[in-house]
């Protein structure tokens, strides 16, 4: 087969209500010949400090109704200067206090180190669950910079001068927690489900 061409298309359901996540992962998986279908039915999350536990629970619920190949993910933002807050409650905290609220909490704090963590849980008819984790170390900026969604305009990876909000989706995927987890998923699918790597 010609290099760079994909042997077949593999369809996978992605259970999420978040369009930003969908677009990012879709872009990572496309060169592997994987087509994503957005299913707006992520099961209600349990309360836990551990992303893995949340994902395991949600996968167990989702696969009962949809056993065909699928995945979902949970992401947390852990800010050192706030003892790991908001962690897995990032979504709730974003809705309640937003970016300005986080900047206010960090005012006068020297330690702005933080990390984003994504855990993807995948399943299909052959495997009950397989987890893929992506972590990126960064810092919370002092000002809102750029656009993007969620915490993008205040999170800057340590290895970049730009916040996520100042990056294109392609650039963000190179650095990001989600890009890393999604590439692990794609590589595993390539090995275990016989997909070909695209260009
Ligand atoms: P699901 O339907 O997939 O659960 P969600 O938005 O509720 O979508 P999470 O429970 O994983 O997703 O919530 C994580 C929150 O953290 C999310 O709502 C954003 O506010 C924030 N977040 C996650 N990933 C982010 C990213 O790449 N950039 C900016 N903010 C992010």
């Amino acid at each position: 087969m010609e290099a760079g061409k994909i042997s077949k298309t593999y369809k996978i359901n992605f259970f999420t209500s978040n369009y930003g996540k969908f677009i990012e992962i879709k872009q990572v998986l496309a060169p592997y010949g994987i087509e994503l279908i957005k299913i707006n039915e992520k099961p209600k999350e349990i309360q836990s400090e551990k992303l893995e536990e949340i994902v395991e629970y949600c996968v167990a619920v989702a696969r009962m109704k949809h056993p065909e190949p699928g995945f979902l993910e949970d992401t947390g933002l852990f800010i050192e200067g706030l003892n790991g807050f908001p962690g897995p409650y990032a979504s709730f905290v974003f809705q309640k206090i937003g970016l300005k609220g986080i900047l206010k909490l960090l005012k006068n704090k020297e330690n702005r180190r933080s990390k984003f963590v994504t855990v993807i849980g995948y399943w299909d008819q052959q495997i009950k669950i397989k987890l893929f984790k992506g972590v990126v170390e960064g810092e919370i900026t002092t000002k809102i910079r750029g656009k993007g969604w969620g915490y993008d305009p205040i999170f800057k990876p340590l290895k970049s001068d730009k916040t996520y909000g100042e990056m294109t989706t392609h650039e963000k995927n190179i650095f990001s927690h989600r890009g890393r987890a999604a590439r692990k998923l794609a590589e595993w699918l390539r090995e275990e489900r016989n997909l070909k790597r695209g260009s």
Side-chain angles (χ1 to χ4, degrees):
M1 199 180 69
E2 210 182 307
K5 288 273 159 57
I6 287 153
S7 61
K8 60 178 180 178
T9 300
Y10 191 64
K11 288 191 183 177
I12 304 184
N13 294 329
F14 179 16
F15 293 75
T16 183
S17 61
N18 186 317
Y19 192 66
K21 288 183 177 183
F22 179 75
I23 292 298
E24 288 172 21
I25 298 188
K26 184 179 156 81
Q27 202 174 90
V28 174
L29 300 189
Y32 292 81
I34 299 167
E35 186 186 320
L36 277 196
I37 299 155
K38 184 172 179 297
I39 310 264
N40 200 5
E41 278 178 47
K42 185 173 169 191
K44 201 167 166 351
E45 292 171 12
I46 49 161
Q47 282 206 354
S48 168
E49 294 284 308
K50 291 200 177 129
L51 294 173
E52 285 85 351
E53 273 179 17
I54 298 169
V55 170
E56 279 165 8
Y57 173 82
C58 289
V59 166
V61 174
R63 61 187 286 279
M64 276 196 284
K65 193 168 160 198
H66 298 275
E68 61 277 15
F71 70 91
L72 50 85
E73 64 108 290
D74 202 38
T75 295
L77 173 64
F78 301 81
I79 302 176
E80 266 186 30
L82 302 176
N83 297 326
F85 179 85
Y89 307 108
S91 176
F92 178 74
V93 170
F94 181 78
Q95 285 166 33
K96 293 291 172 194
I97 66 171
L99 301 181
K100 287 189 178 152
I102 293 287
L103 294 182
K104 217 168 168 181
L105 288 175
L106 282 173
K107 210 174 173 192
N108 304 325
K109 294 242 188 226
E110 266 190 24
N111 185 1
R112 306 184 76 88
R113 281 288 292 263
S114 54
K115 66 179 174 189
F116 255 125
V117 182
T118 289
V119 175
I120 291 177
Y122 169 86
W123 69 91
D124 58 26
Q125 286 91 345
Q126 296 167 65
I127 195 165
K128 274 191 171 173
I129 185 167
K130 176 86 184 157
L131 298 180
F132 303 91
K133 190 173 188 170
V135 182
V136 66
E137 299 282 345
E139 59 191 17
I140 302 297
T141 50
T142 51
K143 285 191 211 139
I144 290 174
R145 286 171 38 187
K147 294 184 178 150
W149 57 276
Y151 299 92
D152 278 353
I154 61 166
F155 184 85
K156 188 184 80 57
L158 291 185
K159 291 187 177 155
S160 167
D161 294 332
K162 294 183 188 174
T163 65
Y164 278 169
E166 294 168 320
M167 297 179 185
T168 62
T169 303
H170 177 72
E171 280 175 307
K172 181 180 171 187
N173 271 332
I174 292 170
F175 287 98
S176 83
H177 48 300
R178 181 166 302 103
R180 286 172 191 205
R183 278 190 292 278
K184 285 183 188 171
L185 165 67
E187 288 296 326
W188 183 85
L189 287 168
R190 188 171 68 93
E191 291 292 321
E192 301 294 325
R193 299 293 179 267
N194 225 9
L195 302 184
K196 292 273 188 288
R197 174 79 220 250
S199 53

